[in-house]
Amino acid sequence: MAKPKKSRNSAPDPSVAARLPWQPSAPPLATALLISFAALLLRALVSVGPYSGQGAAPKFGDYEAQRHWMELTLHLPSSDWYRNTSDNDLAHWGLDYPPLSAYQSRLHAHLINASLPDAVALRSSRGFESQESKLLMRWTVLSSDLILFFPAALWFVWAYMKDGVGGSGERREGWTWLLAMVLLNPCLVLIDHGHFQYNCISLGLTLGAIAGILSRNELVAAALFSLAINHKQMSMYFAPAFFGHLLGKCLKRKYPIVEIMKLGFVVLGTFALVWWPYLHSYEAAMQVISRLAPFERGIYEDYVANFWCTTSVLIKWKRLYAIKPLKLMSLSATILAFLPSFIQQVKSPSNLGFLYSLLNSSFSFYLFSYQVHEKSILLPLLPASLLALHEPHLHGWFTYYALFSMYPLICRDQLLLQYISVLGLFVLIYYSPGGNYGKGMKISSGTMAVLSLPLLCSILLHTVYLQIEPPKRYPFLFDALIMFICFSQFIILTLYTNYKQWMLDFHPRPVGSKKDL
Amino acid sequence: RPQRAQTTPHPVRPLQISNWTTAPMAATSSPSTAAAAMWAFAAAACVKLLLVPTYRSTDFDVHRYWLALTHALPARQWYTDASSEWTLDYPPFFAYFSRLLSLPAPFVDASLVDIPVPAAPPSSAYILYLRLTVAFSDLLLLASILLLARDARRRQRPFLALLLVLWSPALLIVDHIHFQYNGFLMGLLLLSLHFLEQGKDLAGGVVFAALLCSKHLFLVAAPVYFVYLFRHYCCGRGLARGLGRLVLMGAGVVAVFAMAFAPFVYYGQMQQLLSRLFPFGRGLFHAYWAPNFWVFYIVLDKILAFLLRRLGFSIEIPEASFTRGLVGDSSPFSVLPKVLSRLLSPFYPREEC
């Protein structure tokens, strides 16, 4: 590492007179801590804003759901958490995440109970809202973020730089920007600390698993990923990537069966540990599983930029088919969509290919799976931010449209100010003077011209959505337009990333021939 | 250490081990200071936007009232109106500034310019508008920083120091949470200092006079300015030229003060204005102690009160005591005499800006 320049005694180098704070060769640990603090500040500031369903009696929103789960898990025995009882009315925000979410709710409930028992009192605290409880609840998310997501991000960047994902070392000096891109994920900040959810836990565990794979601790990675699945079943979107990559790696080893069995033991052991209270009977386990996969809600809900919802403008899926054939269709479409990246990883696993395959498999689930929420765009967004150094344009483009696809949700939650501010900060950091956005693929001017059209439309739609009333015949016209634009961009993106992953096999990255001094 | 031959200005990056990375990278030249300063201001602006829904102190109501006051009433009544407890206690240029801010206000929320101020809590449009005025007035701070940054290299002033003014946490907390308008006042101060650095003493003096007419707290810097300008601008050029310059500087300052105070001299309200600007009736201290020398006086008073009470004297605890957070006209001291306001007025370091 170059020695830090001591410019105190000599005149500052005129060519670097306008260095921004992170540009000098500052010690890496301090810089990483500073970036983490800045990310924490951003989260704390967004937390000041409103949460989902604030003041919206009687149903409220995700905030009330999380508070209700804390109330349930604190006072009821674990056998009652997923069952409809007199104390647990499943119609009012019943638990629909796997047991690890429930354990996490219980832990947070203990903390809140210690300071403000009224907020989590059984039955009487329904719809409880106060400044103190908001502060405490926000702190549970902030602390979960700090404990899980931040260390995972730091580990990931460290592992990424150590092994030089992609072979050559030409990306080495971009690590501060990469860390900022991972930690400053606008959608994650707005959803977790604005709307109020705990995606940071499952994404943090997944990120830890990814970092584990990059640093060749596969058993740890398998355990962490199993925990992630047990926190939110949507983490299964990444399962094909993990499975394909690990399978490919195992097959290349001396005793593949032993390796696979080791991984299998770790995964099964983790699952057994988490599901322990429900393993005593088949009914108990099925009770939980039926809550996790509510097929009766239909193939799509509201307006989400995935295949089924977008094409439903032309082909009315819900009217043409019953639930069972639709389930089958979405399953096969999803499998077909992630099959290419899966096969590529099984054939030739590599760290870079693994990151691409994460993006591809989560995208395929987002586009074709059953009952996808608009918040699930967070899942493909994570590997996109991890690939920020390799695909800076893709990352910026994708983040913008992911945010845009959540715009109606943001407006409903009155988080517009936070949206503008977080998007502004993201754009500033992305284009930070002396940053890395200029690298990567050069985009031709023709492509730029084509891409700028949906961009302009989206900017226009931002204001139109707020100010103009939609026509009476089509009250959701603008939501549909937003969905359509985002879907078109997502399709282009996923085709591109699938192509890139396949091309990895045919254009091996040039090995760095220069050595360290 | 091997000397790197740099053909393009290239900031040193962490983990850079050698200079073999220049080829595959796009030309990322070091940003100009102006671009970096504007970038930093934009980042601070995003943070200021996030601070809109945070806590507002009574200073928010103060400025809301002044905005309505300067819009709804003629200048004759600005310093005499008592429809609210938050009477105008800044010099006239700040009142003119409030007037300026009140011009777009009716389009945002008509109740913004009602006198007397409605008792209802402010609407979110209202809050957003006022918060944005603070953020916009910070543009003056940015302008001064840009001017200072132009000279930074020559004066060996690290750019980071200038950035930290834009990102100053104290300024963010006081201006954008507590709610005040110190950003643009600091901008005026820095502008004046920039002029002095450039040797344009007359301009610097005039800008400082304007600053004094915006917030008289900056009087604390007046002695320094006076001595510097006298020594640097007037002295050392012979008696005639020096006197001429003194007159010129004096004329400039007087002109600025005249622009500010002339209408109120005409209305015969100077006494009222001064009593509003320097409310000695409030006493030596504010409800919240500033960490200054007079703390010793307070502590001494408390110790004496305690000892004398122990010895059997009956010492009253005053209503406006220092630990109760109340202000009033009665003496807040138990034992020691209330410090005579008129005698010690130049030393009044009231922490309330």
Side-chain angles (χ1 to χ4, degrees), chain A residues 2 11 14-15 17-18 20-25 42 45 48 173 175 417-418 421 424-425 428 432-435 438-439 514 517, chain B residues 4 9 11-16 18 20 25-26 28 30-31 33 39 42-43 46-47 49-52 54 153 156 159-160 163:
Chain A
S15 65
L20 287 169
W22 55 83
Q23 283 175 312
S25 50
L42 180 65
L45 286 175
V48 178
E173 67 287 344
W175 71 272
L417 217 57
Q418 283 78 8
S421 177
L425 275 171
L428 285 171
S432 57
K439 308 194 184 109
K514 318 251 176 136
L517 278 172
Chain B
R4 282 193 208 110
V12 179
R13 298 167 191 276
L15 291 184
Q16 184 174 7
S18 73
W20 42 259
M25 287 197 305
T28 50
S30 174
T33 47
W39 182 94
C46 290
V47 173
L49 207 58
L50 283 171
L51 288 174
V52 167
T54 53
R153 219 174 293 161
Q156 301 196 3
F159 184 65
L160 188 56
L163 265 192

